[in-house]
Amino acid sequence: QVQLVDSGGGVVQPGRSLRLSCAASGFIFKNYGMHWVRQAPGKGLEWVSVIWYDGSNKHYADSVKGRFTISRDNSKNTLNLQMNSLRAEDTAVYYCARDRRDVPIFVMDVWGQGTTVTVSS
Amino acid sequence: SYVLTQPPSVSVAPGQTARITCGGTNIGSKSVPWYQQKPGQAPVLVVYDDSDRPSGIPERFSGSNSGNTATLTISRVEAGDEADYYCQVWDSSSDHVVFGGGTKLTVL
């Protein structure tokens, strides 16, 4: 079945780095754009980043631009999020999500289960 | 930046119709997906392209979009529909995805 499995979360000190991964299965990964979305404790959804199906184009939320990098390995069916210079306000559950198209139309039809990132000293 | 405004909460009795609004400047010119999120779970797409439903989503869920307001309508509400609901758009002027603040649907 179509599935996304998020991993890589944990507790990290402010200023340090963390790399999240999202393993895709049950569909042709290289044919879809992919997103990261996060949710701080008790808060709403916040979009983080999007990457085109072939990695040719990427966009970031202002809150993470310059600190986070989205990437994908279509040979391994994996989406990644490299998070540097982490701040307390980055504490959240991070979800990967599939776009409905290769060139994103910004509709997220499949979501991972989420992985929790806690930034604390 | 583009802002989407949702009411924090909506309450409805079982069997009645719930309407959740999403306000934004000229939102009628944009495509609006809606997501349902139950406590402790990942979001689920329930409506896209204003009014289409993914497979497996009941026909009770429908959407509309015109002017400055998009609306998610849930007919014949059931206890299992109790959840947070989010609208979302793509803001092409900033190349950002924008989510509304979310609406908590309570089934009385």
Side-chain angles (χ1 to χ4, degrees), chain A residues 65-111:
Chain A
K65 196 168 188 177
R67 300 187 299 123
F68 290 12
T69 302
I70 191 172
S71 65
R72 64 191 297 158
D73 186 338
N74 286 343
S75 68
K76 297 182 179 178
N77 295 339
T78 301
L79 175 73
N80 300 300
L81 185 68
Q82 178 67 41
M83 304 186 297
N84 298 334
S85 304
L86 282 162
R87 307 167 179 168
E89 54 265 37
D90 296 320
T91 294
V93 176
Y94 285 73
Y95 297 98
C96 68
R98 187 184 80 170
D99 198 280
R100 291 193 73 241
R101 294 286 186 269
D102 49 2
V103 174
I105 57 170
F106 311 102
V107 177
M108 302 169 209
D109 66 347
V110 180
W111 293 66

Side-chain angles (χ1 to χ4, degrees), chain B residues 1 3 16-17 19 32 34 59 74 77 87-88 96 99-101:
Chain B
S1 60
V3 176
Q16 298 303 303
T17 298
R19 295 179 178 84
V32 181
W34 289 86
E59 291 184 6
I74 309 171
V77 166
C87 60
Q88 174 241 300
H96 285 19
F99 283 99

Side-chain angles (χ1 to χ4, degrees), chain A residues 35 37 39 43-47 50 52 59-62 95 100 105-114, chain B residues 31 33 35 37 40-45 47-49 84 86 88-90 94-101:
Chain A
H35 300 260
V37 176
Q39 187 170 35
K43 302 297 184 183
L45 301 176
E46 180 188 15
W47 174 77
V50 62
W52 265 229
H59 294 296
Y60 298 91
D62 291 345
Y95 297 98
R100 291 193 73 241
I105 57 170
F106 311 102
V107 177
M108 302 169 209
D109 66 347
V110 180
W111 293 66
Q113 87 286 1
Chain B
S31 177
Y35 303 90
Q37 187 181 33
Q41 298 184 19
V44 173
L45 178 68
V47 166
Y48 65 98
D49 287 350
D84 294 325
Y86 296 89
Q88 174 241 300
V89 298
W90 168 252
S94 64
D95 288 336
H96 285 19
V97 170
V98 179
F99 283 99

Side-chain angles (χ1 to χ4, degrees), chain A residues 17-30:
Chain A
S17 298
L18 203 61
R19 185 178 179 87
L20 305 184
S21 293
C22 169
S25 60
F27 65 98
I28 302 174
F29 180 69
K30 65 181 181 180

